[in-house]
Amino acid sequence: MNKHTSATDGQFLYVHGSPAGPTMSYLLPGDSYDRHRMKEEFDHMDVYALNGHTHIPGVIVRGSRFMPPEALDKFSYGLQGRQAIINVGSVGQPRDGNPKSSYATIENNVVYFHRVAYDAESVCEDILAIKELDPFLGQRLLAGY
């Protein structure tokens, strides 16, 4: 991977798409059931990868299924040295059915997922006012898809 498509910091790999496809690859929750795909993804990273291209927050631990924040204890995931891909979600376009802004922080080896309400209606109106944009791009914000 070149320096323009990913970054590393100790045991963390930062990508937009996925460890195997750092720029444009989509890593969807259902992909966690594809053993071959997951092997390829985890083989491209050291311990932890943080991504966000799908805008769907959650964690995939090697050998396990996708876990959305709601399935985690207190919306958090403890970093225990087991390989994990952590999707931080999206501040402006969450796509998991929750229109609130989504982001993650890491403190004391724990990933905390956060949701914050924002004025999605105003942003939607701004998008709808741009005739060159598909109205769906604004409307999706209100539903979180």
Side-chain angles (χ1 to χ4, degrees):
M1 287 181 261
N2 75 46
K3 66 182 178 178
H4 301 292
T5 60
S6 66
T8 56
D9 179 15
Q11 55 191 351
F12 293 97
L13 169 67
Y14 303 93
V15 297
H16 178 76
S18 75
T23 305
M24 296 301 294
S25 179
Y26 282 94
L27 187 55
L28 297 166
D31 292 333
S32 65
Y33 294 99
D34 182 338
R35 289 184 322 210
H36 299 293
R37 167 82 189 269
M38 289 294 92
K39 180 181 180 330
E40 180 182 3
E41 296 295 345
F42 284 106
D43 285 352
H44 278 85
M45 54 185 273
D46 187 15
V47 184
Y48 306 111
L50 286 89
N51 73 329
H53 194 164
T54 62
H55 299 215
I56 302 172
V59 178
I60 302 173
V61 177
R62 187 171 203 145
S64 186
R65 60 176 171 63
F66 176 84
M67 296 174 285
E70 298 80 14
L72 301 169
D73 183 34
K74 298 179 182 176
F75 294 85
S76 63
Y77 175 75
L79 301 176
Q80 306 151 357
R82 237 178 118 193
Q83 280 186 305
I85 300 170
I86 301 154
N87 188 311
V88 299
S90 174
V91 172
Q93 291 190 15
R95 299 206 178 130
D96 63 346
N98 183 338
K100 291 181 179 177
S101 219
S102 171
Y103 68 97
T105 58
I106 300 174
E107 301 171 36
N108 299 320
N109 288 324
V110 178
V111 177
Y112 295 96
F113 289 91
H114 307 274
R115 295 312 279 246
V116 178
Y118 74 104
D119 190 356
E121 288 184 20
S122 177
V123 176
C124 176
E125 289 174 14
D126 289 346
I127 292 170
L128 294 176
I130 302 171
K131 64 180 181 177
E132 294 83 10
L133 294 178
D134 186 327
F136 173 72
L137 296 174
Q139 295 162 348
R140 77 185 314 175
L141 301 178
L142 304 178
Y145 285 107

